[in-house]
Amino acid sequence: MVSSNLTRYAWLSIAAAVITLVLKTIAYLVTDSVGMLSDAMESIVNLAAAIMALTMLTIAARPADDDHAFGHSKAEYFSSGVEGALILIAAVSIIWAALPRLMHPQAIEQVGLGLMISLVASAVNFGAAFVLLRAGKKHHSITLEADAHHLMTDVWTSGGVLIGIGAVYATGWLILDPLIAIAVAINIVWTGFQLLRRSVDGLMDMSLPTDELTIIHDIIGRYVTEQGIAYNSLKTRQAGSHKFISVHILVPANWTVQRGHDLLDLLEADIEKTLHGSHVLTHLEPIESP
């Protein structure tokens, strides 16, 4: 299954989180900057989120069984939901760490070395986020997309921290260090809320997005025009990378059962070939039926 192949991307995320955590912790110890501390704290969250993503992708890869006839792909939504919550926790933690420095600003030490270390850590995160985002979109995995966005929030956090430290070094205004850290924390809150919203939508069996519904209607519409059939009761939902589609197909009553089922086989294959990860269930009815 696709999800089993996606775990390698989760391992990439874990490796990136470990590397950046080590680098940012060193940067904080070198500079004694609260901005650097907040950056390192977010890397701890990144590591926890990456481990969660690996766990959920492993569960999502399990095949359907007697107790889970539609598979385990919804496990991905738990991962993205946890990541959204962790991003919010990271934002609160950053603000909590920065507040004391607002009251008692402190000088930053060895700015040049700290900035270089942080830049390397940001480059590692950016590279991992780029790979994860492409894989998430390609395989329609909300877990990988969530992890990628999480890493990108870390990149933006690091960028804000670097700007803040540079500004402190250039102006001597020590209060800029905690102010920048708080501003970055507020900025990443939106990403956390977005991930939580998408997770709730998935767990509540929200229908497929409008562009994919349009594709389904267009495909069925061709059969309506060419075969003189009709359809109704189109229902869709998404679970992780899997799309579930059900529809009633109405054919002339004088058709044989074989002809009707041959048409359904063609229609189902057409939709599943066009929409990656889709599973189509059709129900045959006579078009004369009320």
Side-chain angles (χ1 to χ4, degrees), residues 176-288:
L176 287 177
D177 182 28
L179 285 177
I180 290 292
I182 292 173
V184 169
I186 294 173
N187 181 60
I188 68 175
V189 165
W190 175 246
T191 300
F193 276 121
Q194 286 290 89
L195 289 176
L196 285 174
R197 183 185 62 79
R198 288 186 63 189
S199 299
V200 170
D201 286 344
L203 291 172
M204 294 297 291
D205 285 337
M206 187 175 182
S207 67
L208 297 180
T210 303
D211 58 334
E212 294 185 344
L213 287 174
T214 300
I215 292 173
I216 296 170
H217 282 294
D218 288 344
I219 292 174
I220 301 177
R222 291 202 302 269
Y223 287 86
V224 170
T225 302
E226 297 170 2
Q227 303 288 339
I229 65 171
Y231 71 100
N232 59 32
S233 301
L234 175 64
K235 299 177 182 179
T236 67
R237 68 181 180 89
Q238 183 155 352
S241 59
H242 298 282
K243 303 174 178 66
F244 295 95
I245 303 160
S246 67
V247 61
H248 290 187
I249 301 298
L250 285 63
V251 304
N254 61 355
W255 279 27
T256 64
V257 174
Q258 184 65 54
R259 182 178 178 183
H261 277 280
D262 287 345
L263 174 72
L264 297 187
D265 288 341
L266 289 173
L267 190 149
E268 291 173 6
D270 203 353
I271 295 175
E272 291 175 354
K273 179 178 65 177
T274 305
L275 285 181
H276 177 81
S278 61
H279 305 269
V280 184
L281 176 65
T282 53
H283 179 71
L284 192 65
E285 291 278 359
I287 201 168
E288 293 82 5

Side-chain angles (χ1 to χ4, degrees), residues 70-154:
F70 292 97
H72 300 76
S73 53
K74 273 196 175 184
E76 290 201 44
Y77 292 115
F78 290 101
S79 176
S80 61
V82 168
E83 290 211 34
L86 289 175
I87 288 176
L88 296 179
I89 292 172
V92 172
S93 300
I94 291 169
I95 294 173
W96 183 261
L99 286 177
R101 291 291 180 93
L102 281 175
M103 305 300 297
H104 307 286
Q106 295 182 20
I108 300 175
E109 304 172 4
Q110 300 189 59
V111 175
L113 179 58
L115 290 178
M116 287 180 60
I117 296 173
S118 188
L119 279 172
V120 173
S122 296
V124 171
N125 269 341
F126 181 82
F130 180 77
V131 172
L132 291 176
L133 190 58
R134 288 189 61 182
K137 291 185 179 297
K138 178 181 178 181
H139 298 290
H140 301 273
S141 170
I142 189 175
T143 297
L144 292 183
E145 286 191 48
D147 214 12
H149 286 303
H150 197 159
L151 289 176
M152 282 306 298
T153 62
D154 199 10

